Amino acid sequence: MTTTMAGTQPIAPREARVAHRPHWGWWVVTGIVLLCVAALAKSLASNRNLQWNVVGQYFFSSKLLSGLLLTIELTVLAMAIGIALGGITAVMRLSPIRILSAVALAYTWFFRGTPLLVQIIFWYNIAALFQKITIAVPFGGPTLWSANTNSVVTGFVAAVLALGLNEGAYMSEIVRGGIISVDQGQQEAAKALGMRSRRIMRRIILPQAMRVIVPPTGNQVIGMLKSTALVSVASVQELLYSAQLIYNRTFQTIPLLIVASLWYLLVTTVLSVGQYFIERHFARGNRTLPPTPWQRLRTAVDNMHGALQARVERSAS
Amino acid sequence: MSEVVLRVTDVHKRFGPVEVLKGVSLTVERREVMCIIGPSGSGKSTLLRSINHLEEIDRGRVELNGELIGYRQRGSKYVTLPERDLARQRTSMGMVFQAFNLFPHMTVLQNIIESPVGVLHKPVAEATATAERLLRRVGLLDKAHAYPRQLSGGQQQRVAIARALAMGPTLMLFDEPTSALDPELVGEVLDVMKDLAREGLTMVVVTHEIGFAREVADTLLFMDGGVVVERGRPADVLGNPQQKRTRDFLSKVL
């Protein structure tokens, strides 16, 4: 048996290649999708109520652009607070000191457990609870600083506080998940090399945890961008509220909502691209990275160039 | 001539209801290679981890070069040292783990210089030179800029050995360094360890490689049930075991 097997020539001819089985299903699905897209495009283009000319008219209006700027500011500030708070509370939560762990747990419990909209309204109306904000030595000591709550907690401050504190609770869980995803052996190896816990966290654990932390954080940033629309209840003139102010006057509700949505989509797209590159950075050493679209384009161009050159050389000889 | 580097006295360790170490004592002299064998669950890894205080102990003492490890004696009590002191003490003990535990987000070179630069505050150029010398010694200089993921298990373990040596330890602890390796990769790691032994490095090796223990060890310890059952020169313990438990174990592994 074995001798005949060893002596057998390969049956397939040399030039045979692997071909994929034809898929009639592929054509059907593609056809249906193209049909739907065409129908949608036609209805969008021909429906007069969409008022594309109004969309164009307001797309770069200064009111909306300043609203967009405020939306971005709110997103950046709230995420900065959220990430900082989340990082701190995640480490607290994992601390062997019980009371720190309990404080962190209570924080996430409260801020994840109540609606964001309620939190925004609450901070906006905080003056009803505390008329004055005072920094003083507790229990009757001297006052160091005092101010009227309403002059400190403006709509913008209330919005940043509410969004940031709420975000911190979610980021806390994300960061904690990242930290506990790192193998216990990493910490032991670092300890055995004489490192102390701060350094271990900063140099060994966090860089590895980032691989797990970054993708959901990207989600959170994009979510935050759109959650900022809620702060219109605190009369902060962000993107949506700016659009509302205009359509309340002109009744061009749909076109202005389209303008706002297009801006949200645009910023989300930019953020997604950023996330893609940050993820690649933290994937270092973990797997071989696929080329970026840009690198792929370059290779394709290089290949084409090479093929062309080869052809030119061949024809020359 | 004989200078005691490591002295372990009557160490006890309990995990919940299970007493893993029931009073273990041993001494290791400078340039000595001690191998510890025994069935799984016998407490040999826990003993090794107690030596550099990765595990707290319940009773007994561990001394390295005369210095009490992990604790400070206050009257009749031992108080755990602050982290700063624990970290300092660990710099003089290198440890090699079964699972290598290289830092996957750093290159081989970065893995090796991380602690010399970050903890011992050596200049990067000096640490790099040392790292390259050690990499040449374990035969992996060409992999200096590779990431751990790109190396075989045997190569990773050799890097882990170089990383531990880069701290200039007076004692090296090996915790089953070849148990996670494919059989054909065990030899390259054992060869490196044999070289180190020949050069006079003081080593405590927990291992299942009886052949290695026979060839390299100055002292062989057989542990079972949290106690040292038998100790002596490898030829004696392996060739003429005095205890029944040792004979039973050896009959299964030899």
Side-chain angles (χ1 to χ4, degrees), chain A residues 121-154:
Chain A
I121 298 171
F122 175 84
W123 285 107
Y124 190 48
N125 293 293
I126 190 79
L129 193 58
F130 303 105
Q131 280 81 24
K132 274 178 172 285
I133 300 175
T134 305
I135 298 177
V137 179
F139 303 112
T143 301
L144 304 173
W145 180 84
S146 178
N148 214 330
T149 303
N150 266 334
S151 64
V152 177
V153 186
T154 59

Side-chain angles (χ1 to χ4, degrees), chain A residues 183-200 203-205 207-208 282 284-288, chain B residues 49 52 54 83-84 87-88 90-91 93 95 97 101-106 111 114-115 117-119 147 149 163-164 167:
Chain A
D183 183 61
Q184 186 68 30
Q186 293 289 309
Q187 171 144 6
E188 293 195 343
K191 269 189 185 176
L193 285 164
M195 289 186 221
R196 288 156 68 178
S197 49
R198 271 241 199 111
R199 186 178 180 83
I200 296 175
R203 296 284 302 174
I204 309 300
I205 308 290
Q208 296 183 58
F282 284 108
R284 218 169 7 148
N286 255 292
R287 55 195 160 89
T288 39
Chain B
R49 294 161 56 82
N52 70 350
L54 282 182
E83 199 196 11
R84 175 166 27 91
R88 178 184 52 76
R90 286 190 186 117
T91 58
M93 286 177 276
M95 185 151 188
F97 297 86
N101 296 346
L102 292 180
F103 306 134
H105 59 300
M106 297 182 180
N111 259 280
E114 174 64 23
S115 241
V117 172
V119 176
Y147 282 97
R149 185 63 57 97
R163 181 175 70 172
M167 298 294 283

